[in-house]
Amino acid sequence: MNHRPGSACPDPKCKGSLREDEYGVFCALCGAETDTWAEPADADLPVRLDDAPSGPPVMLRARRLKLRAVPLALAALLLVGAGAGTWLALRPTPIEARATQLSSKDLLAALRAQKWPDGLKLPAYYSEPEFFLLKKHREAQSPLMVYWNAQTRDQKLYWLHEAIRLQTPFALPLLAELAYFSLPNESDGDIASTLLSALAASSHQYLDLAIFIADFVAQTAVVEEVIEYASDCSRMLADRRRQWGH
C-alpha cells in the first residue's frame, strides 16, 4: 500500500494529520499510530477506526512519549513549587517567631506597663474585650498564645499570680483567650484554678464576658477538677454581678 502523509488521523476525535518516519505512520498531533490503510483506490484517506477490523488499541510511540515527559516533568516541578509555597504559608510568621522569643520578664513588663509588645497583630478583642463574645472575633487567636504554650509551668503560674495582684482589665483579653482555648484540655488543676482566679480578678466591668468563659470551660473541660473550678468561678462572678446590680 502507498502511505499518504498528510492524511487525517484515524482517531475521529483528533484533528491532526498523519506523518511518516522510519518507524511507521503516526499522527503528528496526538501520536496515534496506524498500520491499516484503505485499498489503493481510496488511498487518500486511511481507514477510520470505526471501520477498521478489531485489533489492538491505538498506541503512542515510545519516542513521542518522551516528548510528553517534558510537560509532565514541568508539572511535577510546579507541584513541588506549590508544596514549597504551602510550607512558606504555614511556617511561623515573623510575628509568631517574635512571640516565642518573649521572656517572662517581657510579658510581666507589658502587663505592668499596660502595653503589649509592638508589632504583634492582636485580635480585635484586645482593644475591646466584649468583642470576644462574638464568634467571628473569638475564632482568632493572638501570637501571645504561641508565647504562652512555650512557657514552663512555673513561668505560667508566676505571670498569673502577678495578674491577680494587679487586678487590671488590661490583662482580661489575654486571660480570656488563654482560658477559652486552653482550659478545656488543661489537666493541671493549679494552672486552671489560678487562671480562672486571674480572670475573675481582672473582669471588673466585663463580668458578662468572664461568666461566659467560665461557663464555657465548665461545659467543655475534660478534667473534673477543672470543671469544678470553672463552675465555682461562674457562680462567684454571678453573685458579684447581682451585688453590683448589673
Side-chain angles (χ1 to χ4, degrees):
M1 286 182 192
N2 296 321
H3 296 304
R4 299 294 182 90
S7 298
C9 175
D11 187 343
K13 297 181 180 179
C14 178
K15 302 301 182 181
S17 59
L18 296 180
R19 296 288 184 271
E20 183 178 14
D21 61 13
E22 67 272 25
Y23 298 100
V25 181
F26 63 94
C27 176
L29 181 61
C30 71
E33 297 181 8
T34 178
D35 294 319
T36 305
W37 290 79
E39 294 298 325
D42 302 316
D44 284 343
L45 293 174
V47 173
R48 310 300 293 182
L49 288 181
D50 291 340
D51 301 327
S54 60
V58 175
M59 302 297 292
L60 295 183
R61 183 182 306 276
R63 185 165 63 85
R64 281 182 287 280
L65 282 176
K66 292 181 180 179
L67 296 177
R68 294 196 174 198
V70 175
L72 290 176
L74 292 175
L77 288 175
L78 289 175
L79 287 175
V80 171
T86 302
W87 178 83
L88 289 173
L90 296 178
R91 69 176 178 172
T93 64
I95 292 174
E96 291 174 335
R98 181 173 180 180
T100 60
Q101 295 170 2
L102 291 173
S103 67
S104 295
K105 291 182 179 179
D106 293 330
L107 199 58
L108 284 171
L111 183 62
R112 292 164 181 165
Q114 307 282 285
K115 184 178 185 299
W116 299 115
D118 294 331
L120 296 179
K121 293 184 179 180
L122 300 175
Y125 54 79
Y126 271 78
S127 59
E128 177 48 67
E130 288 186 336
F131 280 169
F132 199 88
L133 292 169
L134 303 177
K135 184 178 181 181
K136 65 178 182 178
H137 292 299
R138 189 168 65 245
E139 291 177 344
Q141 294 187 35
S142 77
L144 292 174
M145 282 292 293
V146 179
Y147 161 81
W148 178 260
N149 291 328
Q151 300 307 294
T152 65
R153 178 178 185 274
D154 289 342
Q155 289 172 328
K156 291 177 180 180
L157 289 173
Y158 183 65
W159 187 87
L160 291 174
H161 282 298
E162 184 65 10
I164 293 173
R165 187 186 70 82
L166 291 175
Q167 298 186 23
T168 170
F170 172 79
L172 184 62
L174 178 56
L175 293 168
E177 181 180 23
L178 296 177
Y180 186 88
F181 290 110
S182 68
L183 287 190
N185 295 310
E186 181 61 65
S187 58
D188 190 315
D190 288 341
I191 289 181
S193 175
T194 309
L195 177 50
L196 289 166
S197 296
L199 179 74
S202 305
S203 60
H204 298 291
Q205 67 266 38
Y206 301 107
L207 286 174
D208 287 340
L209 172 58
I211 292 172
F212 165 78
I213 294 172
D215 286 342
F216 174 80
V217 174
Q219 295 167 10
T220 59
V222 297
V223 176
E224 187 63 33
E225 185 179 14
V226 177
I227 295 175
E228 292 177 1
Y229 288 143
S231 298
D232 291 343
C233 180
S234 176
R235 284 192 293 269
M236 181 270 292
L237 290 169
D239 288 342
R240 181 189 299 175
R241 183 173 58 184
R242 284 192 293 270
Q243 292 172 5
W244 290 359
H246 289 184

